[in-house]
Amino acid sequence: MERELRLNWQPQPRIVADRADDVVPHEHEADPVPMEGIDALRSVCQNSGEENDSDDMYVEEATSDAPYGDLSFEAGLRMWALQSGLPHSSLNCLLDHLRQHNLQMPQDARAFMSTPAPTAPEIVLTSIAGGQLWYQGIEKSLLSYFRKVQPIQEGFELDFFVDGLPLRKSSRSQFWPILMKINNDPNTPVMTVAMFCGESQPVFVEEFLRPFVEEMNKLNRTKVIIGARAYWVCPRSIIADVPARAFISGVEPRNAISACMKCTIEGEMEQNQIFFRYDAERQSRNHEDFCEDKYPTHVINPTPLTTMDRCDIIRDLIAAEEVQLIYKGVEAKLMQLWMEGFPGGQSMLTPQQQREVSAHLRLLKLPSDFQHKLRDLRYVPLWKASEHRMFLLVAGFVVLKGRLNEAAYQHFMLLFLAVTFLSTSYHRDKWAMADDLLHRFVEAYGNVYIPELLDSNVHNLLHIHDDVRRFDALHTLSASVFQAFLLDLKKLMRSGRCNLVQAVHRVLELQQVHFAKPESSPADEQSVCTVGADTIATVRRGFILRKNVRDQWCMTDLGEVIRYESATKAEGTVIVQGYTFSKQMIAFTEPYPSTEANIYSANMADLDTVALKSFSSSTLMCKLAAVEMENEGEFMFVPLLHTYIVHK
């Protein structure tokens, strides 16, 4: 099922009747691909400009009777026109038809969509080296979104995102946007600060970033005025992948000897491949030395970011972006090594073991929180980020047990447990443990595999803890929401001409539809509803229980695994009824006992289906994935990290 457009509307949760298979298989699953076709698949995956690596794992779908939530008739019609890519000529016909039936509608699609005129000041483009730049600005973005509602916070802590996006495979044209999101108001959408379009990335970082830096410094001094109040504005972080991060900071790219932005480690060259030994001498870089040009082999171009107020160019540029660093980086490389081997070493999963792992993956019935079904190993080159995340944090340690050799398996467990701890603020007190696990993982990497495979992604695992400790859990540093916005925006493009003008028009049209509204109900309001014979309980946002094999498991704050049966609501509180196990077992002991991550194993024969117990929603710690093990009736119960109760 194709992901719904999520640019500028917040759909209502959809409740559907239980089905034999809740997850629609990907179209590739109908035509099995032999293992020898992996290289061809990887080539397709790497060369495709359409793949969405940024898909969100937890997406609420729209109800069939309210596809655009609480949007008005006209606003919903505008969103539909944008979402379907309807040309203005077709929209004019529709407006004519609506007026024929006595609905008050503008005569022209441009008036209806609030498309700016060609000479409007808000679409002025500036020519810079390599292409054109449209700069909307931070203040205008905030004023547009909050034009009908007064913000309740005292100021805006902003995350910024910079990246390059190829427009289409047949063209060299690229978008380089500057996007932002309000970190201290997580319900706000992604906003567009600026967009560059050219045949390549901007030639000079000075021309690209200078308007942004100057406005940020101005807002730092004067604040932004919304209504009758002044709000402070400050940067929190700048999120970008390695090439974009190198460009905006003016440093050596990832394939350089002195490429690490966080420390002074010097890489080694072996057969045109640079690697970074764990025990190599290194010291942390700092903002002052960077600005004073004390890293001559690292910094190659001056950057305006060194003049931006309240911006530490070393600490505020994120290295711990989970999608590219962990899931599509380190984890994807590990899976390639297991299946294909490496120089001087054999593949660590034999063809038979690969078939066994694939068969196990196909049998899993993981929670419907995951938007995509976890495909088997034949399709690893086509896996989306959510599939890699699901494998690393939920299914991998189960399906690899007894198949991957013990040294590689225990090495994988270091990464699994470290990322589990760092992915939620619930485990904040274990973040130091996670840092130790990552150091052990990087140190052992060259022994389990070969030192030459210690690339920049593996090395950057050593810097995750500093970013998480400075900001927050990994999911707050993710580029997923920004990348999803860009890919949705790309789908709105209607032709190959005037790309930047088209994009500007679509952004401004979307801003007319989407703006802040008063909250009609608390974001985490609990509810109980009935669909057929099924009672669905919403414990809090993202935590929904249903009586089916996928979504019926949760855990109390005492560590009890519950199989959900039903629920009621009394005095605003959901009461869940369910069965518990008479016996739960520890799942593993290394590198730490599984109880540290609230992971347990249990046998269905030990489920006490006689005593139906009741639990207040306030005692429910998290939702669980039930991962079936090799022995019939045995399951591993793994927390879904986004459902934890997190106390600030």
Side-chain angles (χ1 to χ4, degrees):
M1 181 180 296
E2 187 172 346
R3 179 167 53 84
E4 296 285 352
L5 189 73
R6 295 162 294 167
L7 282 169
N8 286 297
W9 60 284
Q10 298 294 327
Q12 304 300 313
R14 180 176 70 175
I15 304 298
V16 295
D18 196 14
R19 297 170 293 184
D21 187 2
D22 287 340
V23 182
V24 178
H26 289 250
E27 59 182 353
H28 307 288
E29 294 182 88
D31 184 19
V33 178
M35 290 304 299
E36 55 265 29
I38 287 291
D39 288 338
L41 277 173
R42 178 170 294 108
S43 177
V44 171
C45 178
Q46 291 174 343
N47 293 328
S48 171
E50 302 299 324
E51 184 192 12
N52 180 3
D53 288 344
S54 62
D55 52 283
D56 294 337
M57 183 173 296
Y58 317 110
V59 178
E60 293 178 337
E61 298 182 22
T63 57
S64 58
D65 58 345
Y68 299 111
D70 60 353
L71 290 181
S72 66
F73 171 76
E74 290 193 12
L77 190 59
R78 292 189 190 102
M79 183 59 72
W80 169 78
L82 286 165
Q83 185 177 352
S84 59
L86 199 68
H88 284 180
S89 58
S90 298
L91 187 54
N92 281 331
C93 292
L94 176 61
L95 294 175
D96 290 341
H97 179 71
L98 293 176
R99 286 197 306 275
Q100 180 183 345
H101 290 273
N102 300 320
L103 291 177
Q104 298 296 319
M105 290 289 167
Q107 293 186 352
D108 189 272
R110 291 168 294 184
F112 179 71
M113 298 297 293
S114 299
T115 306
T119 57
E122 60 265 31
I123 63 169
V124 171
L125 307 182
T126 303
S127 294
I128 64 175
Q132 291 182 306
L133 176 70
W134 174 69
Y135 189 81
Q136 175 172 235
I138 301 164
E139 184 174 16
K140 287 183 179 178
S141 297
L142 293 172
L143 291 174
S144 174
Y145 182 71
F146 290 106
R147 62 183 180 270
K148 295 189 177 182
V149 170
Q150 197 73 32
I152 60 174
Q153 58 267 55
E154 297 296 320
F156 303 106
E157 187 180 46
L158 303 177
D159 288 320
F160 295 99
F161 172 81
V162 180
D163 198 6
L165 178 72
L167 289 179
R168 50 191 60 85
K169 285 183 276 188
S170 60
S171 171
R172 294 177 55 194
S173 296
Q174 292 187 27
F175 270 133
W176 275 74
I178 302 174
L179 306 177
M180 75 176 188
K181 199 172 187 307
I182 304 173
N183 177 70
N184 56 330
D185 189 355
N187 295 322
T188 56
V190 172
M191 304 179 193
T192 307
V193 177
M195 284 190 294
F196 167 88
C197 185
E199 291 300 304
S200 64
Q201 71 181 37
V203 176
F204 302 116
V205 67
E206 170 69 28
E207 292 182 319
F208 178 60
L209 287 182
R210 180 55 66 185
F212 162 69
V213 170
E214 289 182 349
E215 185 186 16
M216 194 70 249
N217 289 343
K218 174 188 173 184
L219 293 176
N220 185 53
R221 296 189 302 269
T222 62
K223 299 186 178 181
V224 60
I225 307 299
I226 302 177
R229 290 181 56 191
Y231 296 84
W232 53 261
V233 178
C234 74
R236 172 181 178 257
S237 69
I238 300 176
I239 301 170
D241 63 9
V242 173
R245 199 162 68 234
F247 170 67
I248 64 175
S249 57
V251 303
E252 289 282 3
R254 68 190 306 168
N255 57 348
I257 295 292
S258 185
C260 182
M261 292 186 58
K262 299 292 185 177
C263 72
T264 59
I265 190 170
E266 294 287 330
E268 300 179 32
M269 179 76 74
E270 183 71 28
Q271 295 183 349
N272 295 323
Q273 183 173 336
I274 295 176
F275 64 98
F276 302 87
R277 295 186 184 275
Y278 174 78
D279 56 0
E281 182 180 354
R282 61 181 182 269
Q283 294 180 339
S284 296
R285 300 189 192 275
N286 63 76
H287 178 79
E288 291 74 19
D289 287 348
F290 188 100
C291 295
E292 293 174 6
D293 200 21
K294 293 184 179 180
Y295 304 125
T297 62
H298 176 62
V299 181
I300 57 176
N301 290 311
T303 172
L305 292 180
T306 57
T307 64
M308 190 164 90
D309 297 340
R310 304 175 72 175
C311 174
D312 187 312
I313 198 167
I314 302 299
R315 302 175 70 196
D316 290 345
L317 269 68
I318 301 299
E321 199 289 302
E322 58 178 0
V323 172
Q324 296 300 324
L325 175 61
I326 299 173
Y327 305 125
K328 301 292 286 185
V330 175
E331 182 200 345
K333 183 65 174 180
L334 284 177
M335 300 189 77
Q336 179 187 349
L337 297 176
W338 298 337
M339 293 187 291
E340 301 178 13
F342 50 90
Q346 300 296 319
S347 60
M348 295 189 171
L349 288 172
T350 66
Q352 175 61 29
Q353 290 169 333
Q354 293 181 39
R355 287 191 290 270
E356 291 174 1
V357 171
S358 292
H360 199 161
L361 290 174
R362 289 194 294 269
L363 288 175
L364 298 182
K365 294 185 179 296
L366 299 176
S368 55
D369 301 65
F370 299 109
Q371 190 182 8
H372 295 282
K373 184 174 181 177
L374 186 54
R375 291 172 284 183
D376 65 45
L377 295 185
R378 293 171 297 177
Y379 306 102
V380 166
L382 299 178
W383 275 14
K384 296 179 180 293
S386 62
E387 292 174 276
H388 280 289
R389 190 176 195 273
M390 193 190 317
F391 186 88
L392 177 61
L393 299 181
V394 177
F397 79 100
V398 179
V399 301
L400 293 173
K401 181 67 175 176
R403 294 170 177 132
L404 191 63
N405 75 57
E406 189 62 18
Y409 180 79
Q410 291 302 330
H411 187 244
F412 170 80
M413 291 294 288
L414 296 172
L415 182 66
F416 155 60
L417 208 54
V419 177
T420 294
F421 290 154
L422 293 169
S423 293
T424 172
S425 298
Y426 176 85
H427 286 309
R428 186 184 299 273
D429 60 343
K430 298 184 179 71
W431 286 354
M433 292 167 54
D435 186 41
D436 175 67
L437 291 170
L438 289 176
H439 275 263
R440 290 165 59 185
F441 177 85
V442 177
E443 183 178 19
Y445 202 98
N447 295 325
V448 176
Y449 305 102
I450 55 175
E452 289 75 17
L453 294 176
L454 280 157
D455 60 15
S456 60
N457 281 332
V458 177
H459 169 74
N460 273 324
L461 294 176
L462 302 176
H463 301 303
I464 289 181
H465 180 249
D466 289 339
D467 282 351
V468 170
R469 186 178 57 183
R470 178 171 173 80
F471 299 106
D472 203 346
L474 283 174
H475 71 90
T476 70
L477 305 175
S478 176
S480 294
V481 65
F482 298 105
Q483 292 169 339
F485 176 90
L486 285 179
L487 289 168
D488 286 339
L489 181 61
K490 181 178 177 180
K491 292 175 184 177
L492 299 180
M493 307 298 289
R494 295 169 183 165
S495 73
R497 297 180 294 109
C498 304
N499 292 312
L500 186 54
V501 173
Q502 281 192 68
V504 171
H505 283 172
R506 301 295 85 78
V507 167
L508 295 176
E509 289 170 356
L510 286 164
Q511 288 178 178
Q512 291 299 314
V513 176
H514 197 67
F515 49 85
K517 306 176 184 67
E519 286 287 341
S520 56
S521 61
D524 291 330
E525 183 177 9
Q526 301 178 355
S527 66
V528 177
C529 65
T530 302
V531 175
D534 194 6
T535 301
I536 298 96
T538 300
V539 178
R540 51 185 171 268
R541 176 176 290 185
F543 188 161
I544 298 176
L545 295 173
R546 299 175 58 200
K547 190 179 176 181
N548 62 25
V549 69
R550 300 180 187 277
D551 301 304
Q552 64 181 358
W553 301 100
C554 61
M555 181 177 287
T556 71
D557 51 12
L558 298 178
E560 293 178 287
V561 176
I562 303 170
R563 190 181 79 177
Y564 169 80
E565 291 294 312
S566 186
T568 58
K569 186 176 181 181
E571 299 180 354
T573 299
V574 168
I575 306 298
V576 167
Q577 289 85 42
Y579 299 114
T580 60
F581 288 93
S582 60
K583 182 171 61 175
Q584 295 176 199
M585 295 163 286
I586 192 169
F588 52 81
T589 58
E590 294 292 337
Y592 289 105
S594 66
T595 51
E596 294 286 351
N598 298 317
I599 298 174
Y600 294 89
S601 66
N603 194 301
M604 288 302 165
D606 296 319
L607 186 67
D608 182 1
T609 57
V610 176
L612 185 65
K613 300 180 180 180
S614 296
F615 304 88
S616 170
S617 58
S618 63
T619 67
L620 300 182
M621 180 170 61
C622 61
K623 185 176 176 179
L624 299 171
V627 185
E628 189 172 3
M629 301 170 68
E630 285 188 282
N631 297 330
E632 185 176 357
E634 290 188 3
F635 285 81
M636 201 77 75
F637 293 97
V638 185
L640 301 186
L641 301 179
H642 72 289
T643 65
Y644 271 117
I645 296 176
V646 178
H647 300 289
K648 296 293 186 181

